Each structure stands twice: as structure tokens, then as C-alpha cells.
Amino acid sequence: MSPSRTRQQFVPSRPRSEVITAVAVGAGIVVGTALLIWLMRPGKVGVPGGGGLLSRQPRMTLLVLASAAALGAVVYWVRRGRRRPKRLGQRGSIVVGSTVVIVLAVLGGIFWPGGIVRHWPKQPKVSDTPATNPISVPSSAPASSGPATSAKTGTTVKTPTSNPATPTTKGR
């Protein structure tokens, strides 16, 4: 029988923390790219308020992205900065810094010149059914209490709601 081989200890080429960091950064890049593509997708040509969030609500999106960047900067500063606060500890400093960033973001949204949210006019719904002939006029007028419009000219025609020939008596 041959002599047994001696077992050598396995030494990984990279530490586990480096591998986990590399995988997390790679996944973050993929997710961030997909998110930006989704946020920046174009809308329909000539239709305002369509498309991704950056084209529909650019101010709100920029405020949220700036707030997220500020939160990241606060966390980085507390964990790695030279002049970081030491009284509250790491968790307390992150909580206080995050609270300050969120309050500033809300105040920035309230006092944004011209308003933070853009309100787009409601778009008419386009149905898949074919349109009727606009020249044809229905034979009987619809019973409505409001003003009617003529199909041919588009002018408003006032319909009487009461008979003006009969006198009305008030206060009997």
C-alpha cells in the first residue's frame, strides 16, 4: 500500500469579505443601471407627462436622489471620517445625521421655488373602437339641461329650460 498523502490546509486566494464586497458592488451597479434606465425612459412623442419618473416629475426625483446621496455621505462620514462625532457613538450619529438630512429634504420640498410636483393635465383616453362619422347628426336631440353643441359647426346652442311665454308668479 502506498503512503497516505499529507493533507494541506486550503488557503483561499481572496478573503471572504473581499468576495462579498465585489459581489455586492457588482449587483449594485447592475441594479443602479436598471433603475436609471427605468427612470429615464422616454414617453410618447407629443404627450406631456409620460415616460419615466425623471421625465414626469424631475424635481421630485432630483430631490430624492440628492437626499439619498446626502444620506450616503452622512453614513460614510460617521463611519470613516476623520472629524466624526464621538459622543453619540456610531449608531446614534447615523440616526441624528439621517434625521437632519430627512428634515432638510422635506423643507426643501416645501420651499422649492415653483413647487416640487408638476401637475400634468389629464389626457383623453383613446379607445380602440373606430370613430363615428363626425358629419352625421343624430335625429333626436339628447335630453340635457346644459348647453348643447352642434356636431357640424362646434358652436354652442342654448336650450330653453322653461317656457318664457308663461308668466311665473312669485311670493304668493
Side-chain angles (χ1 to χ4, degrees):
M1 200 162 156
S2 65
S4 65
R5 292 196 284 179
T6 59
R7 293 187 177 227
Q8 294 179 352
Q9 199 170 12
F10 174 71
V11 179
S13 59
R14 299 264 183 225
R16 184 175 293 200
S17 63
E18 283 185 15
V19 173
I20 291 173
T21 303
V23 168
V25 167
I29 290 171
V30 170
V31 169
T33 303
L35 182 67
L36 280 175
I37 290 171
W38 179 71
L39 287 172
M40 296 173 65
R41 71 189 186 275
K44 295 178 183 175
V45 178
V47 178
L53 195 58
L54 270 172
S55 62
R56 287 181 288 146
Q57 299 294 341
R59 295 175 181 178
M60 182 59 91
T61 304
L62 291 176
L63 180 69
V64 168
L65 291 177
S67 301
L71 282 173
V74 164
V75 170
Y76 180 79
W77 176 63
V78 167
R79 297 193 74 195
R80 305 225 187 260
R82 264 192 239 164
R83 304 172 99 203
R84 61 181 180 242
K86 293 183 174 47
R87 280 188 194 172
L88 298 173
Q90 202 170 23
R91 283 187 182 171
S93 298
I94 289 174
V95 168
V96 169
S98 300
T99 305
V100 168
V101 168
I102 290 171
V103 167
L104 289 176
V106 169
L107 289 175
I110 291 171
F111 295 113
W112 191 294
I116 189 76
V117 177
R118 184 183 292 175
H119 298 285
W120 295 98
K122 188 172 182 179
Q123 299 297 320
K125 291 188 177 184
V126 179
S127 63
D128 294 335
T129 59
T132 58
N133 188 0
I135 296 175
S136 66
V137 179
S139 61
S140 65
S144 66
S145 61
T149 58
S150 172
K152 286 185 181 179
T153 61
T155 59
T156 304
V157 179
K158 196 88 162 154
T159 58
T161 56
S162 65
N163 189 356
T166 58
T168 58
T169 57
K170 289 186 177 181
R172 268 193 175 179

